[in-house]
Coordinates of all heavy atoms in Angstrom, one line a residue:
G315 N -19.2 9.9 20.7 CA -20.6 9.5 20.5 C -21.1 8.7 21.7 O -22.4 8.5 21.8
V316 N -20.3 8.2 22.5 CA -20.8 7.5 23.7 C -21.6 8.5 24.6 O -22.6 8.1 25.2 CB -19.6 6.9 24.5 CG1 -20.1 6.3 25.9 CG2 -18.9 5.8 23.7
F317 N -21.2 9.7 24.6 CA -21.8 10.7 25.5 C -22.7 11.7 24.7 O -23.5 12.4 25.3 CB -20.7 11.5 26.2 CG -19.7 10.6 26.9 CD1 -18.5 10.3 26.4 CD2 -20.1 10.1 28.1 CE1 -17.6 9.5 27.1 CE2 -19.3 9.2 28.8 CZ -18.0 8.9 28.3
V318 N -22.5 11.8 23.4 CA -23.3 12.8 22.6 C -24.3 12.0 21.7 O -23.9 11.2 20.9 CB -22.4 13.6 21.7 CG1 -23.2 14.6 20.9 CG2 -21.4 14.4 22.6
P319 N -25.6 12.1 22.0 CA -26.6 11.3 21.3 C -26.6 11.4 19.8 O -27.0 10.4 19.1 CB -27.9 11.7 21.9 CG -27.6 12.6 23.0 CD -26.1 13.0 22.9
V320 N -26.1 12.5 19.2 CA -26.2 12.7 17.8 C -25.2 11.8 17.0 O -25.4 11.4 15.9 CB -26.1 14.2 17.4 CG1 -26.2 14.4 16.0 CG2 -27.2 15.0 18.2
K369 N -28.9 -1.7 24.9 CA -29.9 -0.7 24.3 C -30.5 0.2 25.3 O -30.6 1.4 25.1 CB -31.0 -1.5 23.6 CG -30.5 -2.1 22.3 CD -31.7 -2.7 21.6 CE -31.4 -3.2 20.2 NZ -32.6 -3.6 19.5
V370 N -30.9 -0.3 26.5 CA -31.5 0.5 27.5 C -30.5 1.5 28.0 O -30.8 2.7 28.2 CB -32.0 -0.4 28.7 CG1 -32.4 0.4 29.9 CG2 -33.2 -1.2 28.2
R371 N -29.2 1.1 28.2 CA -28.2 2.0 28.7 C -27.9 3.1 27.7 O -27.8 4.3 28.0 CB -26.9 1.2 29.0 CG -25.8 2.1 29.6 CD -24.6 1.3 30.1 NE -23.9 0.7 29.0 CZ -23.7 -0.6 28.8 NH1 -24.2 -1.5 29.8 NH2 -23.1 -1.1 27.8
I372 N -27.9 2.7 26.4 CA -27.7 3.7 25.4 C -28.8 4.8 25.4 O -28.6 6.0 25.3 CB -27.5 3.1 24.0 CG1 -26.2 2.3 23.9 CG2 -27.6 4.1 22.9 CD1 -26.1 1.4 22.7
L373 N -30.0 4.3 25.4 CA -31.2 5.2 25.4 C -31.2 6.0 26.7 O -31.5 7.2 26.6 CB -32.5 4.4 25.2 CG -32.7 3.8 23.9 CD1 -33.9 3.0 23.8 CD2 -32.8 4.9 22.8
T374 N -30.9 5.5 27.8 CA -30.9 6.2 29.1 C -29.9 7.4 29.1 O -30.3 8.5 29.4 CB -30.7 5.3 30.3 OG1 -31.7 4.3 30.3 CG2 -30.7 6.0 31.6
V375 N -28.7 7.0 28.7 CA -27.7 8.1 28.7 C -28.0 9.2 27.6 O -27.9 10.4 27.9 CB -26.3 7.5 28.3 CG1 -25.3 8.6 28.0 CG2 -25.8 6.6 29.5
S376 N -28.5 8.7 26.5 CA -28.9 9.7 25.4 C -30.0 10.6 25.9 O -29.9 11.8 25.7 CB -29.3 8.9 24.2 OG -28.2 8.2 23.7
F377 N -31.1 10.0 26.5 CA -32.2 10.8 26.9 C -31.9 11.8 28.1 O -32.4 12.9 28.1 CB -33.4 10.0 27.2 CG -34.0 9.3 26.0 CD1 -34.8 8.2 26.1 CD2 -33.8 9.8 24.7 CE1 -35.3 7.6 25.0 CE2 -34.4 9.2 23.6 CZ -35.1 8.1 23.8
V378 N -31.0 11.3 29.0 CA -30.6 12.2 30.1 C -29.8 13.4 29.5 O -30.1 14.5 29.9 CB -29.8 11.4 31.1 CG1 -29.1 12.3 32.1 CG2 -30.7 10.4 31.9
L379 N -28.9 13.1 28.6 CA -28.1 14.2 28.0 C -29.0 15.1 27.2 O -28.8 16.4 27.2 CB -26.9 13.7 27.2 CG -25.8 13.0 28.0 CD1 -24.8 12.3 27.1 CD2 -25.1 14.1 28.9
M380 N -29.9 14.6 26.4 CA -30.8 15.4 25.6 C -31.7 16.2 26.5 O -32.0 17.4 26.2 CB -31.6 14.6 24.6 CG -30.7 14.1 23.5 SD -31.7 13.3 22.2 CE -32.2 11.8 22.9
G381 N -32.2 15.6 27.6 CA -33.0 16.4 28.6 C -32.3 17.5 29.2 O -32.8 18.6 29.3
A382 N -31.0 17.3 29.6 CA -30.2 18.3 30.2 C -30.0 19.5 29.2 O -30.1 20.6 29.5 CB -28.9 17.8 30.7
S383 N -29.7 19.1 27.9 CA -29.5 20.1 26.9 C -30.8 20.9 26.6 O -30.7 22.1 26.5 CB -29.1 19.4 25.5 OG -27.9 18.7 25.7
A384 N -31.9 20.2 26.7 CA -33.2 21.0 26.5 C -33.5 21.9 27.6 O -34.0 23.0 27.4 CB -34.3 20.0 26.4
L385 N -33.1 21.5 28.8 CA -33.3 22.5 30.0 C -32.3 23.6 29.9 O -32.7 24.8 30.3 CB -33.1 21.7 31.3 CG -34.2 20.7 31.6 CD1 -33.8 19.9 32.9 CD2 -35.5 21.4 31.9
I395 N -35.2 19.7 17.4 CA -34.1 18.9 16.9 C -33.8 17.7 17.9 O -33.7 16.6 17.4 CB -32.8 19.7 16.8 CG1 -33.0 20.7 15.6 CG2 -31.6 18.9 16.6 CD1 -31.9 21.8 15.5
L396 N -33.8 18.0 19.2 CA -33.6 16.9 20.1 C -34.8 15.9 20.1 O -34.5 14.7 20.2 CB -33.5 17.5 21.6 CG -32.2 18.3 21.8 CD1 -32.3 18.9 23.2 CD2 -31.0 17.4 21.7
G397 N -36.0 16.3 19.9 CA -37.1 15.4 19.7 C -36.9 14.5 18.5 O -37.2 13.3 18.6
C398 N -36.5 15.1 17.4 CA -36.2 14.3 16.2 C -35.1 13.3 16.4 O -35.2 12.1 16.0 CB -35.9 15.2 15.0 SG -37.3 16.2 14.4
V399 N -34.1 13.7 17.1 CA -33.0 12.8 17.4 C -33.5 11.7 18.4 O -33.1 10.5 18.2 CB -31.8 13.5 18.1 CG1 -30.8 12.6 18.7 CG2 -31.1 14.5 17.1
A400 N -34.3 12.0 19.3 CA -34.9 11.0 20.2 C -35.7 10.0 19.5 O -35.6 8.8 19.7 CB -35.7 11.7 21.3
L401 N -36.5 10.5 18.6 CA -37.4 9.6 17.8 C -36.5 8.6 16.9 O -36.8 7.5 16.7 CB -38.3 10.3 16.9 CG -39.5 11.0 17.6 CD1 -40.3 11.9 16.7 CD2 -40.4 10.0 18.3
F402 N -35.4 9.2 16.3 CA -34.5 8.4 15.5 C -33.8 7.3 16.3 O -33.7 6.2 15.9 CB -33.5 9.3 14.8 CG -32.5 8.6 13.9 CD1 -33.0 8.0 12.8 CD2 -31.2 8.5 14.3 CE1 -32.1 7.3 11.9 CE2 -30.3 7.8 13.5 CZ -30.8 7.2 12.3
L403 N -33.4 7.7 17.5 CA -32.8 6.7 18.4 C -33.7 5.6 18.8 O -33.4 4.4 18.8 CB -32.3 7.4 19.7 CG -30.9 8.2 19.6 CD1 -30.6 8.9 20.9 CD2 -29.8 7.2 19.2
I404 N -35.0 6.0 19.1 CA -36.0 4.9 19.4 C -36.2 4.0 18.2 O -36.3 2.8 18.3 CB -37.3 5.6 19.9 CG1 -37.1 6.3 21.2 CG2 -38.4 4.6 19.9 CD1 -38.3 7.1 21.7
Y405 N -36.3 4.6 17.0 CA -36.4 3.8 15.8 C -35.2 2.8 15.6 O -35.4 1.7 15.4 CB -36.5 4.7 14.6 CG -36.3 4.0 13.3 CD1 -37.3 3.2 12.8 CD2 -35.2 4.2 12.6 CE1 -37.1 2.5 11.6 CE2 -35.0 3.5 11.4 CZ -35.9 2.7 10.9 OH -35.7 2.0 9.7
L406 N -34.0 3.4 15.8 CA -32.8 2.5 15.7 C -32.9 1.4 16.7 O -32.6 0.2 16.3 CB -31.6 3.3 15.9 CG -31.1 4.2 14.7 CD1 -29.8 4.9 15.1 CD2 -30.8 3.3 13.5
M407 N -33.1 1.7 17.9 CA -33.0 0.7 19.0 C -34.1 -0.3 19.0 O -34.0 -1.5 19.3 CB -32.9 1.3 20.4 CG -31.6 2.1 20.6 SD -30.2 1.1 20.4 CE -29.0 2.2 19.9
C408 N -35.3 0.2 18.6 CA -36.5 -0.7 18.7 C -36.8 -1.4 17.4 O -37.4 -2.5 17.4 CB -37.7 0.1 19.2 SG -37.5 0.7 20.8

Side-chain angles (χ1 to χ4, degrees):
V316 170
F317 305 102
V318 178
V320 180
K369 285 184 173 187
V370 168
R371 187 173 61 241
I372 290 168
L373 289 174
T374 301
V375 169
S376 297
F377 290 157
V378 166
L379 289 172
M380 286 189 291
S383 298
L385 288 174
I395 293 170
L396 290 173
C398 291
V399 170
L401 290 174
F402 181 68
L403 282 173
I404 291 170
Y405 165 74
L406 280 178
M407 294 299 152
C408 296

